[in-house]
Amino acid sequence: MRTSSILLALALSLPIVGLILAALMGQPSSSLSDGVVAESTLSHLWNYVLTDYIVTTILLCLGVGIGVFILGVGNAWLVANYQFPGKAIFEWALILPLAVPAYVMAYLFVDFLQHAGPVQTMLREDLGLTWVLPDPRSLGGAMWTFSMCLYPYVYLVARTSFLDRSARFMEVAETLGYSSVEAFMKLVLPMARPAIFTGVALALMEVLADFGAVSYFGLQTFATGIFKAWLSFGDRSAAVHLSLMLLSFVLIIFYWERHNRARQRYALTNTNTRPAIPKRLVGLYALYAFLFCAFTLFFAFILPMAVLFDLLSEQGLVIDPRYWTWLKNSLSLSAFTAILAVLCALFLAYAARLSQSKTLQGVNRLLTVGYALPGAVLGVGILSLMGLLDIAWLMSVSVGVLVYAYLIRFLSAGLQSIETGLTRITPAMDGTAALLGAKPMEMIWRIHLPLLRRSVLTALLFVFVDVMKELPATLLLRPFNFDTLAVATYQLAADERLAELALPAFSIVLVGLLPVILLSRAIAQKQ
């Protein structure tokens, strides 16, 4: 079992090996040596495009980081510490934007604010104004879109951190003469910093991995550069080098996230805490708190859904005949990958549990890096590996390559859920079952699986939804004439057929709402 687990982990790490080998070997050329080709590629990237990619990526990450921090921490602090009108709804509703993929949010945002959109049309025709709003297809528009989609990452971890803090801290600070704002800035925020940085890092990894939104906004980032180099210019060497550069960005943020997550245990030294009693806000303070949460929810979820329903109404009852094929492809891929991921996760988790091997535990930790791999990097790595092995023809006859990419990208979601479930099955339970004569397989079937049922279902659901939303890897690795809902939505948006993309986009959002609703119910039940 140990050997099988290590071999499985090695198989899932092959795309990174393919990237490194492709970068070292260079692109084949009949007249130039590999070293000259590699040097000319790097020189071209540096002279013409690399500066734009680096600057745009850094500015986008800074803007989104600030945006998700303000929205996530602000809403989490208000919901965790104060009573005001609408709080019971905001507690769970503020995570609903997680169901909307960033590329869908980008299409809806641009449609709402563009020159032919409802806002500027109303200003011209109904109010007679000639104001021209800033172009939504800009770096600022991308920062706004990503912030609205991704702030729930920060909201969830910050809210948990604020609820777990000791109520005595605020009381002691107030007895020392600090105001609520001073106590928050000088005491609570520094203690919650590791958790908050974890949420920000997760959001930034999503930004770096995105292709659909940044492509629609016309931004020059590493993700768009990889697609241009590979698909538009046929420069595989440039695509490989850009993928490695993007991977370095992601790994830096991944290390930052892991480092801060490890420090979270120091954020609260006294485990015998009593729940904080929320303060009741009245008057203008209650109004301000309500408006801050309400505006966040409105712009991040209610307004985009209204625009989406408006596009659906424009389309009417006419359904593209290809929609059913897109839906079938998406559902079959998502279901098959989810089942395969959960089976692999069960095997890896049980191998580490039964062997008590630190090596296997380290292997499982290493596999969690998969969720940080951008789809574009993963796709180029797999294509490079297949090119080196001369088996690229497999892509045209099977979706197996696509499933392999999904498994690398989303196995960690299933593995973490299964491992969490296994921690609730103590060795004492196994010992008691063994004393009663239960054999190993009988123990797993009659004791472990019933106790793991919720974890298994959660893992299936999260992997299923992630595969439904995945765009970059699907664009690069799908067989010919094989489109999913995500690919169809992207292609229709690229053709400016926004009304036609409403149904596939709505289907993706509807599926994405399932885990979000479960999470919302769990939050509501804890109150």
Side-chain angles (χ1 to χ4, degrees):
M1 182 173 285
R2 176 177 178 177
T3 303
S4 300
S5 299
I6 295 176
L7 289 176
L8 177 59
L10 290 175
L12 296 177
S13 64
L14 286 177
I16 304 301
V17 177
L19 272 180
I20 296 174
L21 290 178
L24 293 176
M25 296 176 63
Q27 188 175 4
S29 176
S30 58
S31 59
L32 295 176
S33 66
D34 293 340
V36 174
V37 171
E39 183 179 355
S40 63
T41 298
L42 290 175
S43 176
H44 172 79
L45 291 174
W46 181 261
N47 291 331
Y48 295 100
V49 297
L50 195 57
T51 302
D52 289 341
Y53 292 160
I54 294 175
V55 172
T56 303
T57 300
I58 292 176
L59 289 177
L60 182 61
C61 287
L62 285 175
V64 175
I66 294 172
V68 297
F69 177 85
I70 293 173
L71 294 175
V73 174
N75 284 287
W77 177 250
L78 291 174
V79 166
N81 293 276
Y82 300 102
Q83 284 287 353
F84 54 91
K87 173 188 172 178
I89 296 176
F90 293 135
E91 282 174 333
W92 59 266
L94 283 168
I95 69 171
L96 291 176
L98 281 178
V100 186
Y103 54 86
V104 173
M105 181 77 82
Y107 307 152
L108 301 176
F109 173 75
V110 171
D111 179 70
F112 186 68
L113 292 179
Q114 66 182 347
H115 183 75
V119 173
Q120 297 206 50
T121 300
M122 180 187 68
L123 291 176
R124 291 193 308 268
E125 298 181 359
D126 297 341
L127 301 180
L129 301 176
T130 57
W131 294 345
V132 178
L133 298 179
D135 186 3
R137 292 190 180 183
S138 62
L139 181 60
M143 291 177 181
W144 171 278
T145 299
F146 280 116
S147 297
M148 289 298 168
C149 280
L150 303 176
Y151 81 85
Y153 284 112
V154 181
Y155 168 77
L156 286 169
V157 295
R159 178 180 175 275
T160 301
S161 180
F162 293 150
L163 288 174
D164 288 343
R165 87 197 194 291
S166 173
R168 298 187 184 92
F169 292 150
M170 290 295 293
E171 295 172 359
V172 171
E174 291 177 359
T175 59
L176 294 176
Y178 287 98
S179 65
S180 297
V181 175
E182 290 175 332
F184 171 74
M185 296 297 296
K186 296 182 179 180
L187 181 63
V188 177
L189 190 59
M191 294 187 64
R193 183 177 60 187
I196 294 171
F197 280 3
T198 295
V200 173
L202 291 173
L204 294 184
M205 281 190 281
E206 291 290 335
V207 173
L208 292 174
D210 181 84
F211 167 73
V214 293
S215 174
Y216 193 66
F217 282 115
L219 300 182
Q220 300 296 317
T221 66
F222 280 102
T224 56
I226 291 169
F227 272 83
K228 287 180 181 178
W230 189 281
L231 298 180
S232 299
F233 302 122
D235 192 342
R236 298 186 179 184
S237 180
V240 167
H241 285 91
L242 289 174
S243 297
L244 288 173
M245 294 176 194
L246 177 56
L247 182 61
S248 65
F249 269 90
V250 172
L251 290 179
I252 290 172
I253 295 178
F254 179 79
Y255 171 77
W256 180 39
E257 184 265 340
R258 286 290 171 179
H259 176 68
N260 282 281
R261 180 177 294 186
R263 293 173 56 195
Q264 287 185 39
R265 62 179 179 269
Y266 299 109
L268 189 62
T269 57
N270 181 12
T271 57
N272 296 319
T273 59
R274 58 184 174 84
I277 301 176
K279 294 183 178 179
R280 182 170 297 277
L281 298 178
V282 295
L284 288 177
Y285 291 108
L287 177 62
Y288 293 152
F290 171 81
L291 290 178
F292 186 82
C293 295
F295 281 149
T296 302
L297 182 61
F298 177 77
F299 287 109
F301 186 75
I302 297 175
L303 182 60
M305 290 301 98
V307 176
L308 184 57
F309 280 116
D310 182 65
L311 291 175
L312 281 172
S313 66
E314 289 183 17
Q315 186 70 6
L317 299 177
V318 179
I319 297 179
D320 192 320
R322 297 173 297 173
Y323 169 77
W324 304 110
T325 302
W326 300 335
L327 182 63
K328 182 193 70 174
N329 292 341
S330 295
L331 292 178
S332 57
L333 270 178
S334 300
F336 181 75
T337 305
I339 294 172
L340 186 60
V342 169
L343 291 176
C344 291
L346 284 168
F347 176 76
L348 292 168
Y350 266 102
R353 175 186 173 92
L354 295 177
S355 67
Q356 295 296 313
S357 169
K358 292 185 177 180
T359 300
L360 292 186
Q361 293 174 0
V363 167
N364 289 355
R365 297 286 72 74
L366 184 62
L367 290 174
T368 61
V369 180
Y371 82 87
L373 286 178
V377 173
L378 188 58
V380 171
I382 292 175
L383 289 172
S384 300
L385 181 65
M386 296 176 66
L388 293 173
L389 298 177
D390 198 22
I391 55 172
W393 55 270
L394 284 174
M395 287 179 50
S396 63
V397 298
S398 171
V399 296
V401 177
L402 196 54
V403 173
Y404 174 62
Y406 291 151
L407 196 61
I408 297 172
R409 182 99 161 83
F410 304 121
L411 175 63
S412 61
L415 184 58
Q416 290 179 1
S417 179
I418 298 300
E419 288 181 333
T420 301
L422 281 176
T423 59
R424 295 193 291 267
I425 303 175
T426 64
M429 295 181 183
D430 293 347
T432 302
L435 288 175
L436 294 174
K439 296 180 180 179
M441 290 305 300
E442 186 181 8
M443 188 186 306
I444 292 174
W445 185 258
R446 300 183 61 182
I447 299 176
H448 289 192
L449 287 182
L451 293 174
L452 285 174
R453 182 178 58 184
R454 180 172 297 180
S455 297
V456 170
L457 291 176
T458 300
L460 284 169
L461 184 58
F462 275 94
V463 176
F464 182 90
V465 172
D466 284 336
V467 173
M468 284 282 291
K469 297 191 294 185
E470 174 61 27
L471 176 62
T474 311
L475 278 173
L476 284 173
L477 300 174
R478 74 192 194 280
F480 297 118
N481 297 321
F482 186 91
D483 292 335
T484 63
L485 290 173
V487 172
T489 302
Y490 166 77
Q491 292 175 337
L492 291 171
D495 295 337
E496 294 297 333
R497 298 157 66 182
L498 296 182
E500 296 178 44
L501 68 78
L503 185 57
F506 177 74
S507 302
I508 296 172
V509 173
L510 191 62
V511 172
L513 278 173
L514 295 176
V516 173
I517 290 174
L518 293 177
L519 184 58
S520 300
R521 289 180 59 187
I523 290 176
Q525 290 173 359
K526 290 181 180 180
Q527 307 309 318

